Amino acid sequence: MPLFPSSVRNAVMAASVLFMALAGAQPAMAHSVLVSSDPAKDASLTSAPAAVTLVFNEPLDRGFTELAVLGPDGTSHWEGGPPAVTGEKLSAPLRALGPAGVYTVKYRVVSADGHPVSGSVPFTLITAGLGTAAAPKVRTETAVADDSVPVWPWIAGAALVALAGAFVARRIAKP
């Protein structure tokens, strides 16, 4: 006498095959994309802006957000406070800018799908201002790692072990 009727075996086998096929499919995940900035990329300004604002195509994760505004020397910082995330916008106030030249807004954000996205937006200050750079910061590294193992292989493995166990039990039970 079989351990399971053939209709049950066939149903379990079909469900297992379907599960394995669907479990391997990953949803399409898009990373955040910079849509616009103020000041605009490569803009030439005669006066310094009071803040920088970056607009992305989707809301941002508030954690692990970084924004720095580097001066023409590439090392001096000109941000006037911590960055703020509001939906799809990342902004920060600026200190009064100093020397004329190319300033670079560097950013690192976390997409809604959990992946980090970074980039930069340069703009040129044509007329020098009277501001001074912020004191040098001690930078602490923050890493976003996606080293987690998905759960579906564990479930599929357990299902296969259960099926193999049933098969072995059936073979042993046969006289």
Side-chain angles (χ1 to χ4, degrees):
M1 174 171 216
L3 185 61
F4 296 108
S6 64
S7 61
V8 172
R9 275 196 319 262
N10 291 343
V12 168
M13 190 60 79
S16 297
V17 169
L18 180 63
F19 176 77
M20 294 300 281
L22 294 177
Q26 295 291 323
M29 294 187 178
H31 302 312
S32 294
V33 175
L34 183 64
V35 175
S36 65
S37 64
D38 183 19
K41 183 177 182 178
D42 298 322
S44 293
L45 309 174
T46 55
S47 62
V52 295
T53 302
L54 305 176
V55 181
F56 293 84
N57 65 324
E58 64 184 7
L60 302 171
D61 185 328
R62 292 180 189 275
F64 306 107
T65 300
E66 296 177 13
L67 187 138
V69 180
L70 303 179
D73 63 0
T75 59
S76 58
H77 283 260
W78 296 87
E79 57 274 10
V85 174
T86 307
E88 66 279 347
K89 292 183 181 180
L90 170 63
S91 61
L94 287 180
R95 302 171 63 85
L97 298 185
V102 177
Y103 287 76
T104 305
V105 179
K106 291 188 167 228
Y107 63 88
R108 183 175 182 275
V109 298
V110 177
S111 294
D113 67 3
H115 287 89
V117 175
S118 59
S120 61
V121 177
F123 67 91
T124 303
L125 181 64
I126 296 171
T127 306
L130 301 174
T132 56
K137 294 181 182 181
V138 175
R139 183 177 173 159
T140 57
E141 292 297 322
T142 336
V144 177
D146 189 14
D147 295 334
S148 61
V149 175
V151 74
W152 72 263
W154 294 101
I155 295 170
L160 288 175
V161 167
L163 285 172
F167 179 78
V168 170
R170 180 174 172 224
R171 291 285 180 185
I172 292 172
K174 276 191 174 181

